[in-house]
Amino acid sequence: MTGGAVALCIDVLKTHNIKLARKMYSFLKPNELLLGDRAFCAYSDMIAIKKLDCDAVFRKHHYRTTTMRKGKIVGDCDKLVTWYKPKKCPKGLSKDEFDALPPSIIVREIYYYIVILGFRTGRVSLITTLLDTTTYPTLEIVEIYGKRWDVELDLRHLKTTLGMDVLRCKTPSMVRKEIYVYLLAYNLLRSLMWSAGTTYGTPPLRLSLQGTRHHLNNFIPKLLAATSTKRLQIYWTLLKVIAHKAVSDRPGRSETRVRKRRPEAYPLMTKPRHELQKQLQTA
């Protein structure tokens, strides 16, 4: 895993995430594995992914009850269960797509417990299309699903670290260009992190994206002013500096969802600026 962005889907405002995700399935390559949370664990999505010769590991939707009395037990916390086609066509599918679904599919259900001292023990159930328990051991699947959180961190880097949470362009075409530029900058940083990590033996995902950004900004004037021979030396120095900005592994870390820096308590801008300026002049 590199943390880089490999595909993009843009649609009209307030389009549901599931609808956008189903458009992204076309970018999957055979034998690839798709990780997702509860929202993606649907019968139709499992079928669509298998038709692409891919596999999935999703967290089981909370609407599906868990019972060990049904299914074939293949391990201590492992079983094969049969999912049947829904009786009603779910939202987001056309009638033709719903009619084309097979009557059933066999999936593998894995459950495990999260034990943290001082907190209530939580149970997690995973649904996957990887049915062979010998080729795909339970612990490996659980470990792979744990990497899904890295995707959430990558999205946070795009929106918060790089500032893509607020798009400033006004027209649809310029908004698209703005998004593409953010992704280009993000992938540039990720490529530097990958080169630095593989060169100096540091896991690329353990490197700091914000630190890489700061180092690149500091090295850009030197890179532009240097000759071609000197520029290569500066580049290797940049990779060495980036590789030494590793973030320590903090398993089971839990933090309160608060913001350290609070914005000023000004009211929202609900009128055009020229009207507000007139009110300010007459006040």
Side-chain angles (χ1 to χ4, degrees):
M1 297 178 64
T2 64
V6 297
L8 172 67
C9 181
I10 300 177
D11 210 319
V12 297
L13 188 64
K14 296 183 179 180
T15 302
H16 199 281
N17 291 339
I18 299 300
K19 184 177 179 180
L20 294 174
R22 287 169 179 164
K23 291 184 178 181
M24 299 287 286
Y25 291 166
S26 60
F27 294 99
L28 291 174
K29 299 178 181 179
N31 300 322
E32 285 190 337
L33 181 64
L34 182 64
L35 305 179
D37 56 15
R38 293 187 181 97
F40 300 94
C41 189
Y43 183 88
S44 58
D45 291 279
M46 292 289 187
I47 299 296
I49 294 169
K50 287 300 296 181
K51 285 184 178 180
L52 297 172
D53 293 329
C54 297
D55 289 286
V57 177
F58 296 148
R59 187 167 181 177
K60 189 169 75 170
H61 200 280
H62 59 279
Y63 282 170
R64 290 186 177 271
T65 58
T66 301
T67 174
M68 291 303 294
R69 292 178 296 177
K70 294 183 180 180
K72 178 182 178 182
I73 298 177
V74 294
D76 294 336
C77 53
D78 231 333
K79 64 178 180 178
L80 300 179
V81 296
T82 301
W83 280 12
Y84 296 97
K85 180 178 177 180
K87 296 181 180 180
K88 296 182 179 180
C89 180
K91 295 181 179 180
L93 287 182
S94 64
K95 187 177 184 305
D96 293 337
E97 293 173 337
F98 179 72
D99 293 338
L101 294 177
S104 64
I105 181 177
I106 297 177
V107 296
R108 180 178 171 191
E109 181 175 350
I110 300 172
Y111 67 91
Y112 61 95
Y113 295 93
I114 300 177
V115 181
I116 301 177
L117 187 63
F119 294 86
R120 180 180 298 177
T121 300
R123 174 168 167 165
V124 178
S125 295
L126 302 180
I127 299 296
T128 179
T129 55
L130 301 172
L131 305 182
D132 191 345
T133 57
T134 303
T135 307
Y136 310 104
T138 303
L139 292 179
E140 289 188 7
I141 293 179
V142 172
E143 182 180 357
I144 289 174
Y145 182 76
K147 297 182 181 298
R148 192 198 68 83
W149 182 248
D150 292 333
V151 180
E152 301 288 347
L153 299 179
D154 296 338
L155 292 175
R156 188 186 68 177
H157 281 311
L158 263 172
K159 295 188 292 185
T160 304
T161 305
L162 299 186
M164 203 180 74
D165 54 338
V166 178
L167 300 177
R168 293 164 176 81
C169 293
K170 302 300 182 183
T171 61
S173 60
M174 289 302 297
V175 167
R176 287 184 173 86
K177 292 180 181 179
E178 187 177 4
I179 294 175
Y180 291 141
V181 170
Y182 273 114
L183 292 177
L184 285 173
Y186 174 77
N187 280 347
L188 171 62
L189 296 176
R190 283 296 180 184
S191 63
L192 284 174
M193 294 164 64
W194 176 261
S195 299
T198 54
T199 302
Y200 293 98
T202 304
L205 292 181
R206 293 263 64 88
L207 297 179
S208 171
L209 187 136
Q210 183 72 301
T212 302
R213 177 189 180 187
H214 290 162
H215 290 313
L216 177 60
N217 289 335
N218 293 333
F219 272 74
I220 283 178
K222 299 179 181 179
L223 290 170
L224 294 176
T227 60
S228 58
T229 305
K230 188 67 175 178
R231 187 178 297 119
L232 184 59
Q233 297 177 359
I234 297 175
Y235 172 74
W236 290 114
T237 304
L238 172 61
L239 295 185
K240 186 175 182 179
V241 173
I242 293 174
H244 286 79
K245 268 287 184 180
V247 179
S248 60
D249 189 13
R250 296 168 288 187
R253 182 178 180 229
S254 179
E255 298 288 347
T256 55
R257 298 178 67 89
V258 296
R259 289 187 295 177
K260 182 178 180 180
R261 296 179 177 85
R262 294 170 290 278
E264 298 292 340
Y266 292 118
L268 296 177
M269 186 175 180
T270 58
K271 297 180 180 180
R273 188 175 297 276
H274 66 274
E275 293 185 9
L276 294 176
Q277 289 177 347
K278 289 182 179 179
Q279 293 180 5
L280 185 63
Q281 293 174 359
T282 56

